[in-house]
């Protein structure tokens, strides 16, 4: 049986993951409006992954016989000044999510909640991967600058992201 405090934090994380999904979908829509179809594809995949993350928390809460409680999802930002700005925000957002996951782990350890700690391990690894991936993309955008041909090629590369 998990504590009420743990349950509340897990439910809050469902909301944070759904917001991530919403934020990345908003970024995808921005890219579509600017005809960066590869970047849009990448962000739509990312948005789907975030929904899956939310569902992992949803299933775990049910498994431990907690009650899933959904809250309103905040409106995400509507537009960005450049693809670089959007990906920089995605990077910042992933660092924020990592911090949230770390806080969840800290509570699980504090409460000797071994099952929740084990469940969260997957997210600890996932966050390392996600932060690194977005960081590499930001780095590429910075290298490219305003070079249109390179931006076109990067858009194509991002559009090759496979669906899970
Ligand atoms: Fe579910 Fe990108 O953190």
């Amino acid at each position: 049986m998990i504590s009420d405090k743990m349950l509340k934090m897990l439910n809050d994380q469902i909301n944070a993951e759904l917001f991530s999904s919403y934020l990345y979908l908003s970024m995808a829509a921005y890219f579509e409006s600017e005809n960066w179809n590869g970047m849009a594809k990448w962000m739509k995949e990312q948005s789907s992954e975030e929904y899956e993350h939310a569902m992992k928390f949803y299933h775990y809460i049910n498994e431990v016989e907690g009650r899933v409680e959904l809250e309103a999802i905040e409106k995400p930002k509507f537009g960005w000044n450049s693809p670089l700005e959007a990906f920089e925000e995605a990077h910042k957002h992933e660092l924020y999510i990592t911090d949230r996951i770390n806080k969840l782990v800290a509570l699980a350890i504090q409460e000797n909640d071994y099952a929740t700690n084990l469940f969260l391990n997957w997210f600890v690894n996932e966050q390392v991967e996600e932060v690194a991936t977005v960081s590499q993309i930001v780095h590429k955008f910075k290298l490219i600058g305003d070079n249109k041909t390179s931006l076109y090629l990067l858009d194509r590369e991002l559009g090759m992201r496979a669906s899970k």
Side-chain angles (χ1 to χ4, degrees):
M1 196 63 190
I2 57 171
S3 71
D4 288 348
K5 194 172 171 188
M6 192 81 234
L7 179 61
K8 169 83 172 73
M9 274 186 84
L10 291 170
N11 265 313
D12 286 348
Q13 193 59 27
I14 292 183
N15 191 271
E17 300 289 349
L18 289 176
F19 174 75
S20 303
S21 178
Y22 226 33
L23 174 66
Y24 296 147
L25 194 60
S26 186
M27 287 181 183
Y30 157 69
F31 290 137
E32 307 245 17
S33 74
E34 298 282 321
N35 293 313
W36 293 116
N37 295 333
M39 297 175 202
K41 161 91 167 35
W42 195 95
M43 275 300 171
K44 277 184 280 184
E45 289 300 329
Q46 192 61 26
S47 175
S48 299
E49 275 198 16
E50 298 302 349
Y51 177 76
E52 292 303 320
H53 293 173
M55 291 308 290
K56 279 183 190 285
F57 282 97
Y58 173 99
H59 291 306
Y60 181 72
I61 290 173
N62 282 317
E63 252 173 13
V64 294
E65 297 180 357
R67 180 73 169 89
V68 168
E69 188 170 2
L70 301 176
E71 300 287 348
I73 305 167
E74 192 188 324
K75 183 183 192 296
K77 201 164 144 181
F78 177 68
W80 290 265
N81 290 316
S82 66
L84 170 63
E85 191 184 281
F87 274 95
E88 277 182 328
E89 185 170 335
H91 181 243
K92 206 170 126 198
H93 185 70
E94 286 307 323
L95 291 174
Y96 162 71
I97 295 292
T98 297
D99 186 56
R100 293 187 63 107
I101 297 291
N102 289 343
K103 286 186 173 125
L104 276 161
V105 172
L107 182 65
I109 291 170
Q110 188 194 321
E111 294 190 344
N112 294 328
D113 184 344
Y114 303 113
T116 301
N117 190 22
L118 201 61
F119 163 73
L120 291 168
N121 266 349
W122 185 89
F123 284 93
V124 172
N125 287 325
E126 177 72 5
Q127 283 311 119
V128 171
E129 191 190 309
E130 291 210 340
V131 169
T133 303
V134 185
S135 173
Q136 279 163 14
I137 295 172
V138 167
H139 185 66
K140 284 181 185 175
F141 272 111
K142 284 185 174 167
L143 274 178
I144 285 171
D146 287 333
N147 186 303
K148 293 269 182 294
T149 311
S150 301
L151 272 173
Y152 170 78
L153 291 173
L154 181 54
D155 184 60
R156 238 179 40 170
E157 181 190 318
L158 292 171
M160 288 191 294
R161 178 175 180 170
S163 306
K164 278 205 174 165

